[in-house]
Amino acid sequence: MAANLFIADNLTKDELYQTLLPQLKALTFDESNIVANLANIAAALKHSLGFFWVGFYRVKDGELILGPFQGPVACTRIAYGKGVCGTAWKEKRALVVPDVNKFPGHIACSGESQSEIVVPIIKNEEVILVLDVDSEQFQGFDKIDEKYLNELADYISTELL
Ligand code: SME
């Protein structure tokens, strides 16, 4: 299929997600390679929503290992319960962090990141991946991001894993 996204100008964030998510599904549902799909999802989110960093960490042998991402180079391994990513893994829930400097144990891969959202991707009650998105702005994420990124995580879990 054609690998283009169509995103109109001047959309609200809610409208942006509503336009983007069906296109992400169309782009990925008939591709069986998970790395290819996660790479395209990271690129689409970064370029459509203007995030600083978007990527996936995959649970392997008891730690998180860096997977497909878009943005500056990042930490490669994160331990269970450490940082925002390891905490979202441990608590099996999305975490929205308005100011990363105030999150105890936050792992600063880049000094430019000021806020963050991490959404675990869970299959059969086990966290398989986490989706991590960083912003250069404080309070870069809200309930709208949480809603649609959770929807995306459900799609990845049910259709792509
Ligand atoms: N800040 C994350 C580490 C990953 S980077 O942001 C890409 C954390 O505290 O887990």
Side-chain angles (χ1 to χ4, degrees):
M1 70 163 286
N4 292 324
L5 296 174
F6 298 97
I7 308 285
D9 294 334
N10 302 319
L11 298 181
T12 64
K13 185 162 69 174
D14 195 90
E15 291 167 338
L16 254 173
Y17 276 113
Q18 284 187 35
T19 308
L20 184 62
L21 286 190
Q23 295 187 65
L24 277 184
K25 292 176 185 177
L27 186 64
T28 53
F29 85 97
D30 63 352
E31 169 53 60
S32 61
N33 187 279
I34 186 66
V35 173
N37 283 331
L38 297 180
N40 259 341
I41 290 169
L45 286 173
K46 172 142 175 45
H47 291 286
S48 304
L49 285 138
F51 296 131
F52 175 66
W53 194 93
V54 181
F56 294 89
Y57 282 89
R58 194 167 195 170
V59 174
K60 185 148 194 320
D61 301 330
E63 62 184 341
L64 290 170
I65 302 184
L66 183 64
F69 72 96
Q70 292 272 314
V73 294
C75 322
T76 49
R77 289 169 191 260
I78 297 173
Y80 182 72
K82 299 293 179 191
V84 186
C85 292
T87 305
W89 173 19
K90 185 175 176 184
E91 296 185 2
K92 292 189 174 175
R93 66 183 179 98
L95 294 177
V96 178
V97 180
D99 178 351
V100 294
N101 306 299
K102 295 187 177 148
F103 187 94
H106 166 255
I107 299 164
C109 296
S110 162
E112 288 175 65
S113 173
Q114 305 295 355
S115 59
E116 182 163 4
I117 180 169
V118 178
V119 181
I121 298 165
I122 299 171
K123 192 158 184 97
N124 301 326
E125 291 171 28
E126 224 180 288
V127 177
I128 309 292
L129 299 156
V130 301
L131 167 59
D132 180 16
V133 188
D134 288 39
S135 169
E136 292 163 288
Q137 323 292 326
F138 292 106
Q139 296 174 320
F141 305 99
D142 57 20
K143 289 280 168 207
I144 296 176
D145 300 287
E146 191 176 356
K147 173 182 164 190
Y148 288 106
L149 295 178
N150 267 316
E151 185 183 320
L152 177 62
D154 286 346
Y155 167 72
I156 293 170
S157 166
T158 54
E159 303 297 333
L160 303 184
L161 290 180

